[in-house]
């Protein structure tokens, strides 16, 4: 069973993984079948570089898979999913306006997707198992 991670106090010198609450930004991408390995590498490297934006606590991206007999294909054509964990809603706003973020969308995401990504944001407690 997981437990909430929290700290007493709100000082900025606390480990970011010990925040009680944060914002998750989830994006689902449908990439073109003819996207080259270099374009995919650029996408992954670009997304990973988002971790340098102020207020970003963690970033992850991965190819969606359905490879086991017991797994139903519920992907709806989504090929990549990414998650950005942010400190709070203010950090999300700054992230959305960040020039580096916009450049990655323009240069690494837009050229290889087949349609507008699905993106959702929500507040949550970080639970570690």
């Amino acid at each position: 069973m997981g437990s909430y991670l929290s700290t007493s106090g709100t000082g900025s010198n606390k480990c970011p993984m010990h925040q009680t609450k944060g914002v998750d930004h989830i994006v689902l991408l449908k990439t073109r079948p003819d996207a080259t390995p270099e374009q995919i590498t650029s996408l992954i490297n670009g997304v990973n570089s988002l971790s340098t934006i102020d207020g970003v606590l963690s970033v992850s991206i991965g190819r969606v898979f359905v490879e086991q007999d017991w797994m139903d294909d519920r992907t709806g054509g989504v090929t990549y999913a990414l998650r950005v964990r942010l400190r709070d809603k203010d950090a999300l706003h700054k992230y959305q306006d960040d020039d580096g973020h916009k450049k990655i969308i323009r240069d690494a995401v837009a050229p290889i997707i087949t349609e507008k990504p699905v993106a959702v944001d929500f507040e949550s407690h970080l639970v570690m198992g």
Side-chain angles (χ1 to χ4, degrees), residues 25-96:
H25 174 65
I26 309 293
V27 181
L28 305 176
L29 304 171
K30 294 181 180 181
T31 56
R32 291 190 346 246
D34 63 341
T36 67
E38 293 80 13
Q39 288 174 309
I40 297 299
T41 298
S42 178
L43 168 69
I44 293 168
N45 291 340
V47 169
N48 286 332
S49 76
L50 297 172
S51 64
T52 63
I53 297 173
D54 186 43
V56 172
L57 303 177
S58 65
V59 175
S60 60
I61 182 171
R63 183 163 180 80
V64 173
F65 64 90
V66 180
E67 57 187 40
Q68 304 296 324
D69 291 341
W70 54 267
M71 297 176 78
D72 293 328
D73 186 351
R74 303 172 294 168
T75 64
V78 169
T79 50
Y80 282 85
L82 68 98
R83 182 193 57 83
V84 179
R85 178 77 175 175
L86 298 119
R87 183 177 51 242
D88 52 29
K89 288 179 182 178
D90 288 336
L92 174 64
H93 187 225
K94 290 175 186 172
Y95 165 85
Q96 291 292 341

